[in-house]
């Protein structure tokens, strides 16, 4: 029964070194991701949430090796992807795709959509030249883009359609894993629902696995099976969607959730307003990284970093009070 997970991330660290000034001899690294561990099962959607700058995109990019990592391991189907040569990675890469927040910026304005979708297919030798147009049309239709748009240019599409193109660009490669980084954050709310439904449909039809990144817990709720809450490069809470929304245990999760409206008017969440801004990740607070903003801070929180521990089956929390 126990199959290995599709994605297995262990003690992942990614530090960026930057000089802040000319006289800065020993620059302090930005600990963008600081010892993060989680798994994603096949066919599952893992939601990664947290404020801007918490390290979400860095994790997403590390997972498909869009950049190198500082420490730890990332396995895809048991294969340590950061230990593979560029050549070995090339064939693996088709299986792992990335969908950006703004697909427009990654599309060449002078290239027709059909050609943009055909290019990676031909490049990787996945279909022959005479088959490629049919394949592109097929993927366009699956992604809700009428195939008669095949000869249009990017500017001729609406925001929602452009995100469909972004998703089609990932789907043409027939991946089984997609990192979607804030894919609906730039869209109107009505369009957001359509794109989220498209992700769901593709998952059902093609058994896709997703890492779905968002700063907005209400977006993640409708799509994810599991959710991880990130703060300053560390995982604060990680559990199933149902447990997280019904019984959030970490003060940071509680604060984020308190801002999400509940559809049931008989229920209310107590609004927790966080004080201050997210601290500088090059110089994070000692002890619990959240202590400068937590409403429940105690002495121990200033000195000792809480362990990320399993407090009930499948529910992990890093807080001294839980
Ligand atoms: N290429 C880079 N060089 C230096 N610092 C970076 C780089 N990419 C990200 N960072 C820093 O790492 C931290 C996490 O960034 P990011 O992963 O983009 O967060 P998020 O996606 O949650 O907004 C931020 O402090 C950011 O400034
Ligand atoms: S460890 Fe302390 S500061 Fe950190 S979240 Fe828990 S109560 Fe708040
Ligand atoms: Mg980001």
């Amino acid at each position: 029964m126990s199959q290995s997970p599709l994605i297995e991330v262990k003690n992942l660290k990614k530090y960026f070194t930057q000089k802040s000034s000319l006289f800065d001899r020993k620059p302090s690294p930005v600990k963008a991701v600081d010892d993060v561990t989680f798994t994603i099962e096949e066919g599952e959607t893992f939601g990664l949430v947290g404020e801007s700058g918490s390290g979400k995109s860095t994790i997403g990019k590390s997972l498909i090796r869009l950049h190198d990592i500082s420490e730890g391991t990332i396995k895809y189907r048991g294969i340590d992807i950061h230990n593979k040569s560029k050549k070995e990675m090339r064939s693996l890469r088709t299986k792992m795709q990335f969908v950006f927040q703004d697909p427009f910026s990654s599309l060449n304005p002078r290239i027709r959509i059909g050609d943009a979708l055909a290019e990676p297919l031909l490049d990787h030798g996945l279909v022959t030249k005479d088959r490629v147009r049919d394949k592109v049309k097929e993927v366009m239709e699956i992604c809700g883009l009428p195939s008669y748009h095949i000869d249009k240019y990017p500017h001729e599409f609406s925001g929602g359609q452009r995100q469909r193109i972004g998703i089609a660009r990932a789907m043409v490669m027939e991946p089984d894993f997609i990192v979607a980084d804030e894919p609906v954050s730039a869209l109107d709310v009505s369009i957001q629902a359509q794109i989220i439904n498209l992700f769901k449909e593709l998952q059902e039809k093609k058994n896709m696995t997703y890492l779905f990144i968002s700063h907005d817990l209400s977006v993640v709720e409708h799509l994810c099976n599991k959710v991880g809450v990130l703060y300053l490069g560390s995982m604060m809470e990680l559990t199933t969607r149902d447990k997280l929304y019904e019984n959030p245990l970490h003060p940071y999760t509680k604060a984020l959730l308190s801002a999400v409206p509940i559809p049931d008017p008989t229920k209310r969440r107590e609004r927790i307003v966080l004080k201050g801004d997210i601290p500088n990740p090059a110089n994070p607070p000692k002890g619990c990284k959240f202590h400068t903003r937590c409403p429940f801070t105690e002495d121990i929180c200033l000195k000792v970093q809480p362990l990320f521990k399993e407090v009930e089956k499948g529910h992990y929390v890093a807080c001294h009070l839980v």
Side-chain angles (χ1 to χ4, degrees):
M1 176 53 208
S2 95
Q3 210 185 346
S4 73
L6 188 82
I7 301 287
E8 203 175 352
V9 179
K10 260 198 195 144
N11 306 110
L12 174 65
K13 294 186 184 177
K14 174 65 184 176
Y15 295 175
F16 293 106
T17 326
Q18 266 179 330
K19 280 194 180 176
S20 56
S21 77
L22 213 59
F23 309 102
D24 203 359
R25 286 243 198 104
K26 203 168 165 281
S28 48
V30 174
K31 297 180 175 179
V33 182
D34 199 11
D35 205 355
V36 164
T37 297
F38 62 94
T39 56
I40 311 178
E41 305 298 327
E42 188 153 19
E44 180 174 79
T45 302
F46 187 104
L48 190 58
V49 295
E51 286 163 288
S52 171
S54 53
K56 305 181 296 297
S57 297
T58 306
I59 292 181
K61 287 178 185 159
S62 306
L63 253 52
I64 61 173
R65 206 173 147 177
L66 286 182
H67 58 52
D68 291 331
I69 60 176
S70 308
E71 264 180 58
T73 51
I74 298 173
K75 287 184 181 164
Y76 161 84
R77 295 192 185 280
I79 305 163
D80 181 348
I81 60 160
H82 284 265
N83 240 337
K84 290 271 152 197
S85 68
K86 284 233 165 77
K87 201 172 152 214
E88 287 169 309
M89 221 20 233
R90 195 174 146 80
S91 62
L92 269 181
R93 182 146 285 145
T94 63
K95 291 285 155 206
M96 296 185 254
Q97 294 289 313
F98 205 90
V99 171
F100 295 90
Q101 175 174 345
D102 173 17
F104 196 58
S105 61
S106 60
L107 290 168
N108 184 330
R110 280 185 290 269
I111 293 185
R112 293 173 204 269
I113 289 310
D115 295 334
L117 294 174
E119 187 204 276
L121 279 173
L122 294 172
D123 204 32
H124 277 89
L126 296 181
V127 289
T128 53
K129 250 193 169 149
D130 55 324
R131 264 278 301 142
V132 76
R133 211 170 150 85
D134 287 341
K135 174 74 191 171
V136 165
K137 282 185 176 173
E138 185 191 309
V139 175
M140 285 177 71
E141 294 284 349
I142 290 173
C143 294
L145 289 160
S147 55
Y148 56 78
H149 288 325
I150 191 165
D151 292 320
K152 287 193 172 170
Y153 291 94
H155 74 264
E156 297 179 80
F157 293 90
S158 67
Q161 283 177 320
R162 282 179 201 159
Q163 192 50 287
R164 288 181 192 274
I165 297 168
I167 295 167
R169 251 247 294 228
M171 290 302 295
V172 277
M173 307 304 279
E174 301 198 349
D176 50 19
F177 177 57
I178 287 183
V179 173
D181 193 353
E182 308 257 13
V184 300
S185 303
L187 302 174
D188 291 344
V189 175
S190 58
I191 315 272
Q192 285 190 351
Q194 295 172 13
I195 298 296
I196 287 176
N197 283 338
L198 173 60
F199 275 108
K200 272 192 192 160
E201 278 168 37
L202 293 173
Q203 186 158 50
E204 279 156 25
K205 281 188 202 148
K206 306 272 179 184
N207 193 33
M208 297 297 301
T209 306
Y210 302 128
L211 177 77
F212 193 93
I213 296 176
S214 178
H215 64 278
D216 184 348
L217 266 168
S218 58
V219 166
V220 167
E221 186 172 4
H222 302 291
L223 189 68
C224 301
N225 319 78
K226 249 197 253 165
V227 181
V229 179
L230 206 62
Y231 185 77
L232 276 182
S234 297
M235 203 69 97
M236 297 285 132
E237 183 159 7
L238 167 58
T239 187
T240 61
R241 190 254 325 255
D242 293 346
K243 276 189 186 156
L244 193 96
Y245 286 84
E246 275 159 30
N247 184 27
L249 295 178
H250 196 284
Y252 182 54
T253 317
K254 287 183 185 174
L256 291 180
L257 268 177
S258 78
V260 175
I262 313 180
D264 182 349
T266 61
K267 289 186 181 165
R268 264 190 68 199
R269 286 195 186 102
E270 193 193 341
R271 183 78 205 259
I272 304 170
V273 181
L274 291 178
K275 49 186 179 183
D277 291 326
I278 196 160
N280 179 357
N283 188 18
K286 299 235 158 26
C288 173
K289 285 180 179 175
F290 187 54
H291 85 243
T292 53
R293 299 173 76 198
C294 181
F296 311 105
T297 308
E298 293 192 357
D299 278 352
I300 184 171
C301 310
L302 311 186
K303 294 171 203 138
V304 184
Q305 185 172 6
L307 293 173
F308 186 60
K309 54 185 186 287
E310 192 170 16
V311 292
E312 55 173 329
K313 197 171 175 343
H315 196 160
Y316 298 81
V317 185
C319 172
H320 291 302
L321 301 194
V322 178

